[in-house]
Amino acid sequence: MPLPAPVLPPNDVAAAPPDVSIVIPVFNEVDNLRELVERVGAAMAPSGYRFELIAVDDGSTDGSAELLGRLARDHGWLRAVPLARNYGQSSALQAGFDRVRGRYVVTLDADLQNEPLDIPLLLQRLEADPGVDMVSGWRRERQDAALSRRLPSRIANRLISRATRVPLHDYGCALKAYRRHIIDRIRLYGELHRFIPSLARDAGARIAEMPVRHHARTRGQSKYGIDRTFRVILDLVLIVFFMRYRQRPLHAFGGLGLWLATPGVLVLAYLLVLKLGGEDIGGRPLLLAGVMLVLIGAQLIVAGLTGEMLMRVYHEGQGRPQYHVRADGDRPTRDAERGG
Ligand code: UDP
Ligand code: MG
């Protein structure tokens, strides 16, 4: 069980590492920050865990970064990480993940829609069940009134669950807790924060879901609108490709290539027979179709072979094996087994 929380000197990151690193991405949330920091502190203090709160300012223009800096002076466990500009939620989370020191990592949003009091409950679940590497929050009573938010997210949850074979009710919930080695194995680019459970599953995590509280946003504005739908669909293609074919791109590209090139070859063979029989084939649309099929098919096979080479360069050149060994007992992950 965790030790009682010692008082850390302000921002002394060299002091004893915490048990829990809480990561919060912040973009223009100045009206929420003070209460957020206080409520996280109040939720964690009685839990007995040593904790740090890593608040990553994602290029806010409303003074959030400055306020975080001031708050960090009053709270030794608060680390403010100001990014140089707005990179997006995924990169802000990754900046936090790159700095975590705890055995457990927790994420939540800065807008107070998540309930900080749920953090110790998620941690208890990890503590109680060694067979679980990650607990994902489920906003069972979601407080976003607009149907334009709830409906797309319902569809997205179904779609992502089926496509990535990681069945969850709520991919969009920011409140999640992880064992550290899972965080060390994944990297978030673009807007992949929505797919963290899929990425974690791909990295070998055993995932549980747990109902958590959810509040309406009372201050500040949501950073996303309905336009994220298309980006989610494209990202889903990316994730499915990565989960299934990253280690065998030739099967994805080359497979499609064979499906196109084979009928192409048959078509051309047929035309060749006609030609040898003395028929004029120059004006036949079928000739164009045959040539196109063979060319495109061959291109796809070459793309697959290039992918195979890139995959080998990635794993062998970087010293990253294509597998992870189970980290029973929270053994810190060696560099060679990070990422991938
Ligand atoms: N966020 C961020 N960078 C961005 C957009 C959002 O760090 O470019 C943060 C934001 O401050 C919040 C979290 O990501 O803490 C989720 O954003 P938001 O609440 O707007 O998303 P929603 O809950 O509406 O999906
Ligand atoms: Mg929100």
Side-chain angles (χ1 to χ4, degrees), residues 24-29 36 56-60 83 86-93 108-114 139 142 144 149 172 174 193-194 214 217 221-225 228:
I24 303 188
V26 176
F27 181 50
N28 290 347
E29 305 278 4
L36 174 77
V56 182
D57 178 75
D58 188 17
S60 297
L83 297 187
N86 179 243
Y87 289 89
Q89 194 176 339
S90 282
S91 296
L93 278 170
L108 68 158
D109 279 348
D111 55 10
L112 292 168
Q113 290 198 261
N114 302 123
R139 298 165 293 177
R142 195 164 164 191
D144 289 311
R149 287 188 67 102
H193 59 270
R194 301 195 184 95
H214 190 238
R217 203 188 232 281
Q221 278 172 7
S222 171
K223 304 330 180 262
Y224 302 103
R228 65 177 139 187

Side-chain angles (χ1 to χ4, degrees), residues 1 41 58 70 84 89 93 95 116-117 122 155 157-158 185-186 195 249 260 262 265 272 296 316:
M1 278 309 277
D58 188 17
R70 284 200 299 280
Q89 194 176 339
L93 278 170
L117 287 169
L122 294 178
I155 297 171
N157 286 324
R158 294 264 170 86
R185 287 177 190 175
I186 61 182
F195 295 90
L260 296 179
T262 308
V265 168
L272 182 65
I296 296 171
E316 293 165 26

Side-chain angles (χ1 to χ4, degrees), residues 92 95 99 161 179 243:
R99 287 164 176 76
S161 292
R179 291 185 203 283
M243 289 180 79

Side-chain angles (χ1 to χ4, degrees), residues 29 88-90 109 111 113 139 142-157 159-160 170-174 176 190-195 214 217 221-237:
E29 305 278 4
Q89 194 176 339
S90 282
D109 279 348
D111 55 10
Q113 290 198 261
R139 298 165 293 177
R142 195 164 164 191
Q143 302 298 323
D144 289 311
L147 196 65
S148 66
R149 287 188 67 102
R150 290 198 325 253
L151 190 67
S153 113
R154 280 258 287 273
I155 297 171
N157 286 324
L159 207 65
I160 301 172
D170 192 3
Y171 269 80
C173 182
K176 296 181 170 80
E191 297 188 2
L192 293 188
H193 59 270
R194 301 195 184 95
F195 295 90
H214 190 238
R217 203 188 232 281
Q221 278 172 7
S222 171
K223 304 330 180 262
Y224 302 103
I226 188 82
D227 54 317
R228 65 177 139 187
T229 310
F230 288 105
R231 303 199 299 268
V232 170
I233 291 170
L234 289 172
D235 282 340
L236 184 59
V237 173

